[in-house]
């Protein structure tokens, strides 16, 4: 009952149809991830009611927005929409833009307070400025605040960081992280960026050619062996854990996850904080020996779960291992896999360089 149902069958042309049947959580961030042209924006526009699929169904928390014989027009759907570029009214100050949203808001629904939005987005010093006096990142923070002040039941974000350079992206991500943890509504978040997915998404849908080829909890989906090896070098997994120790002398923190420990470079987090880390498959190697005579600090006892050959590059093998319930992927040469006689069920040591862990 309390979920987001998205069933779409939309034919754009002979060459492209979007056919999805999704049941998404009604809290947290669900990322729609896929290449350009895979149908991400079309999906979001169908949810928003900006496009109609013939026999679709859109339902949130038991309320139907579209069914066989019902269609709720776009302007009546309780959504906040954030586009790639902030589309603020140029003749209004930031505050004027926010006031516009407040007037449009449904007074019966309270998703977030004005003061909380200002605080979460860090925009108090920007309120009297006009859009042309703001940086791209500041404009986007105002646009996100405006979308929230509509008091929506769902937030739709179409690559909100894609128009920003890397430095601005880096600046705005913490605001987004706070927002995603704070609001109690579902957020559908389109992204091309594995970094954004790892930092923000609880749930992940991978779209390919208008079809959802994978969906599930982010960690589980990323931990599956890739079905195509085209983005092989970027294949990454997500590790979520808690900081339990800090070693200031060496600039390292100890992370606890799934009964394992890992040392990572110190960030600005404190003991007890939850962190999400990205580990690329190419930064993981495998050893059979318990002997610790390498420079690598993180040596996790794991079990080999599956192996797959790269059809495009016979020199490479992807190995999926389990550290408790956490999947770890290693991309190694086929020669090494043969030398180690790797096979399913084998106990091995996954070696992860502390310096290679990304966050
Ligand atoms: N109004 C339309 N009429 C016909 N074809 C369309 C229309 N809108 C989109 N398409 C086509 O549908 C496909 C999916 O487009 P969509 O914008 O949903 O992809 P996307 O995954 O969001 O891409 P990007 O990441 O580049 O924004 C593309 O092949 C696109 O050319």
């Amino acid at each position: 009952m309390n979920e987001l149902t998205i069933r779409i069958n939309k034919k754009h042309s002979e060459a492209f149809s979007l056919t999805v049947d999704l049941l998404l959580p009604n809290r947290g961030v669900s990322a729609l991830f896929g290449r350009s042209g895979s149908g991400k924006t079309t999906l979001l526009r169908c949810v928003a009611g900006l496009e109609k699929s013939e026999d679709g169904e859109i339902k949130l928390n038991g309320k139907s927005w579209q069914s066989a014989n019902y269609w709720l027009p776009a302007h009546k759907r309780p959504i906040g929409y954030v586009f790639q570029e902030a589309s603020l009214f140029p003749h209004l100050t930031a505050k004027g833009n926010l006031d516009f949203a407040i007037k449009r808001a449904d007074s019966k629904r309270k998703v977030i307070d004005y003061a909380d939005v200002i605080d979460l987005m860090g925009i108090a010093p920007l309120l009297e400025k006009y859009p042309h006096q703001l940086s791209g990142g500041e404009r986007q923070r105002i646009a996100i605040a405006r979308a929230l002040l509509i008091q929506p039941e769902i937030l739709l974000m179409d690559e909100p960081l894609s128009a920003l350079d890397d430095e601005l992206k880096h600046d705005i991500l913490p605001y987004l992280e706070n927002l995603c943890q704070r609001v109690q509504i579902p957020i559908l978040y389109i992204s091309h960026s594995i970094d954004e997915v790892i930092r923000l998404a609880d749930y992940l849908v991978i779209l390919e050619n208008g079809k959802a080829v994978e969906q599930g909890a982010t960690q589980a989906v990323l931990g599956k062996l890739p079905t195509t090896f085209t983005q092989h070098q970027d294949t990454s997994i997500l590790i979520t854990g808690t900081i339990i120790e800090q070693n200031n002398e060496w600039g390292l923190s100890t992370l606890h996850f799934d009964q394992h420990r890992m040392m990572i470079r110190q960030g600005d987090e404190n003991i007890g904080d939850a962190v999400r880390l990205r580990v690329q498959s190419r930064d993981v190697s495998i050893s059979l020996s318990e002997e610790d005579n390498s420079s690598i600090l993180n040596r996790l006892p794991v079990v080999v779960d599956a192996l797959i050959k790269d059809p495009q590059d016979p020199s490479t093998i992807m190995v999926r291992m389990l550290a408790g319930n956490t999947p770890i992927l290693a991309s190694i040469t086929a020669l090494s896999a043969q030398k180690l006689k790797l096979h399913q069920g084998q106990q091995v040591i996954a070696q992860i360089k502390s310096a290679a862990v990304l966050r």
Side-chain angles (χ1 to χ4, degrees), residues 12 16 35-42 159 192:
H12 264 322
F16 183 83
R35 274 171 242 201
S36 184
S38 56
K40 305 179 296 293
T41 299
T42 304
E159 298 201 56
H192 270 118

Side-chain angles (χ1 to χ4, degrees), residues 196-226:
E196 285 171 37
V197 167
I198 285 194
R199 282 188 70 163
L200 301 173
D202 307 294
Y203 200 87
L204 181 58
V205 178
I206 299 187
L207 284 177
E208 264 179 38
N209 299 324
K211 307 236 167 4
V213 291
E214 291 289 353
Q215 62 171 304
T218 302
Q219 187 174 58
V221 171
L222 291 178
K224 287 190 180 176
L225 291 173

Side-chain angles (χ1 to χ4, degrees), residues 49-281:
L50 299 170
E51 299 210 21
K52 199 168 187 172
S53 68
E54 286 319 315
D55 57 350
E57 184 183 11
I58 311 282
K59 198 158 83 173
L60 176 61
N61 294 333
K63 279 181 264 170
S64 178
W65 295 358
Q66 178 182 357
S67 63
N69 46 21
Y70 180 71
W71 173 257
L72 185 67
H75 67 276
K76 293 203 170 152
R77 296 191 184 193
I79 57 162
Y81 207 132
V82 179
F83 299 91
Q84 295 183 5
E85 302 221 22
S87 51
L88 301 177
F89 295 119
H91 60 287
L92 295 178
T93 59
K95 183 163 185 316
N97 272 278
L98 299 185
D99 288 344
F100 188 81
I102 294 169
K103 276 190 221 125
R104 270 202 53 208
D106 181 338
S107 54
K108 293 195 284 299
R109 226 176 19 245
K110 197 69 173 177
V111 172
I112 195 156
D113 287 330
Y114 183 78
D116 285 347
V117 174
I118 304 296
D119 186 42
L120 268 175
M121 290 289 116
I123 52 179
L126 311 177
L127 291 177
E128 298 312 321
K129 295 192 177 179
Y130 285 88
H132 72 272
Q133 297 171 310
L134 300 170
S135 73
E138 289 169 340
R139 276 200 294 275
Q140 201 56 306
R141 273 150 57 200
I142 303 288
I144 295 167
R146 186 177 64 174
L148 285 169
L149 287 170
I150 287 171
Q151 306 295 345
E153 283 183 39
I154 184 169
L155 189 60
L156 307 178
M157 304 182 95
D158 191 347
E159 298 201 56
L161 307 186
S162 67
L164 307 178
D165 63 32
D166 283 348
E167 206 174 320
L168 279 177
K169 259 185 214 169
H170 191 259
D171 291 347
I172 200 171
L173 262 168
Y175 292 103
L176 276 181
E177 275 172 331
N178 286 340
L179 160 78
C180 295
Q181 283 160 18
R182 168 71 176 72
V183 295
Q184 300 290 304
I185 55 172
I187 299 175
L188 280 188
Y189 189 101
I190 290 186
S191 182
H192 270 118
S193 149
I194 187 82
D195 279 327
E196 285 171 37
V197 167
I198 285 194
R199 282 188 70 163
L200 301 173
D202 307 294
Y203 200 87
L204 181 58
V205 178
I206 299 187
L207 284 177
E208 264 179 38
N209 299 324
K211 307 236 167 4
V213 291
E214 291 289 353
Q215 62 171 304
T218 302
Q219 187 174 58
V221 171
L222 291 178
K224 287 190 180 176
L225 291 173
T227 47
T228 61
F229 265 70
T230 43
Q231 291 172 323
H232 192 188
Q233 294 308 312
D234 283 322
T235 305
S236 304
I237 51 112
L238 163 66
I239 292 182
T240 56
T242 310
I243 301 290
I244 54 164
E245 240 168 51
Q246 285 186 325
N247 186 323
N248 295 329
E249 188 186 350
W250 297 106
L252 293 168
S253 297
T254 306
L255 177 89
H256 183 256
F257 76 97
D258 231 341
Q259 280 152 47
H260 289 270
R261 283 165 176 245
M262 251 177 83
M263 295 192 102
I264 55 173
R265 275 182 299 188
Q266 250 176 9
D268 47 15
E269 61 274 327
N270 300 309
I271 291 178
D273 284 354
V275 290
R276 298 165 68 103
L277 305 172
R278 173 183 175 192
V279 177
Q280 286 177 283
S281 62

